[in-house]
Amino acid sequence: MSALASLQVDSLLSYAIAIVFPALDAVLPVLPSETAIIALGVATAGSADPRIALLVACSAAGAFLGDNLCYLLGRRFAPWIEHRFFRSEKGAKRRDWAERSLERYGMPLIVVCRFIPGGRTAVMLSCGIIRYNRRSFVIATAIAGVIWACYSFFIGRLGGKAFEDKPWAGLLLAFGGTLAITGLIELVRRLRARRATWPLRLARRSRRAKSPAALP
């Protein structure tokens, strides 16, 4: 209770959290940036102070800085980044997915990947490694930062309003809501990916059926 109460618009701690957590969790995913911004929304749910807009702006700026930090790391330290983040089989698959998706969707993917579990870091680093167009990347990450900050803060304020006397319950409700939305986005992504590969699977089955080994 006291921890949430300290996250007000007149607290320097609130602005520090709004910038630092989203900036660093791009390279240190263990930092719960989305939870931190939701908590700020819950803590300020009962306030109409115009400085709330500044908190949202700081959150968007932090997200933008983190994405562009990833880009610079991927661009300047590609061999080390590949070894550090993509050397495992899972990491290699994630990078392959990021590069294929970037080639197909471009800027929209950079915006949407912020809401895909594990997608943000893979896509941002891959953009740097393949030297994706810097101007397009900056525009896309600016849009993504604003959308993400407004969304996270709004979810937090919604939960805080629903449980004004129980802020921790509001935080849990808001966090559960974001998990549900993120899970839905991931489900849609997986279904679309499976649908895209379905013709290839049918072609493989057809070739197997026609192969001499398959004949009686």
Side-chain angles (χ1 to χ4, degrees), residues 83-172:
H83 178 74
R84 175 67 178 82
F85 289 93
F86 303 121
R87 64 178 175 178
S88 67
E89 183 179 349
K90 183 178 180 180
K93 288 181 179 179
R94 188 167 290 175
R95 183 190 166 180
D96 289 342
W97 166 80
E99 292 188 3
R100 281 188 281 102
S101 300
L102 274 170
E103 185 177 348
R104 183 175 181 182
Y105 299 108
M107 290 176 64
L109 174 72
I110 296 174
V111 176
V112 173
C113 75
R114 174 165 286 282
F115 302 93
I116 298 175
R120 179 194 180 192
T121 301
V123 170
M124 302 309 168
L125 289 174
S126 296
C127 282
I129 291 172
I130 67 175
R131 296 179 177 270
Y132 187 81
N133 182 273
R134 183 66 185 274
R135 183 174 180 272
S136 298
F137 183 83
V138 167
I139 293 172
T141 50
I143 295 171
V146 171
I147 293 174
W148 175 80
C150 291
Y151 156 79
S152 299
F153 215 90
F154 172 76
I155 290 292
R157 286 179 68 83
L158 200 63
K161 281 286 187 181
F163 292 93
E164 291 189 32
D165 298 327
K166 298 178 180 179
W168 284 108
L171 178 61
L172 291 175

Side-chain angles (χ1 to χ4, degrees), residues 4 7-8 21 37 43 67 85 166 202 207:
L4 282 175
L7 301 179
Q8 298 299 319
F21 273 59
I37 305 308
D67 291 344
F85 289 93
K166 298 178 180 179
L202 288 177
R207 285 198 299 269

Side-chain angles (χ1 to χ4, degrees), residues 19-96:
I19 294 175
V20 173
F21 273 59
L24 292 183
D25 90 327
V27 290
L28 298 172
V30 293
L31 287 178
S33 65
E34 194 164 87
T35 304
I37 305 308
I38 289 173
L40 288 172
V42 171
T44 58
S47 173
D49 193 309
R51 288 176 292 180
I52 288 174
L54 181 57
L55 270 179
V56 176
C58 286
S59 304
F64 175 81
L65 290 173
D67 291 344
N68 283 269
L69 173 61
C70 274
Y71 181 92
L72 290 175
L73 288 173
R75 184 162 183 155
R76 297 195 177 187
F77 306 102
W80 182 83
I81 290 295
E82 290 178 349
H83 178 74
R84 175 67 178 82
F85 289 93
F86 303 121
R87 64 178 175 178
S88 67
E89 183 179 349
K90 183 178 180 180
K93 288 181 179 179
R94 188 167 290 175
R95 183 190 166 180
D96 289 342

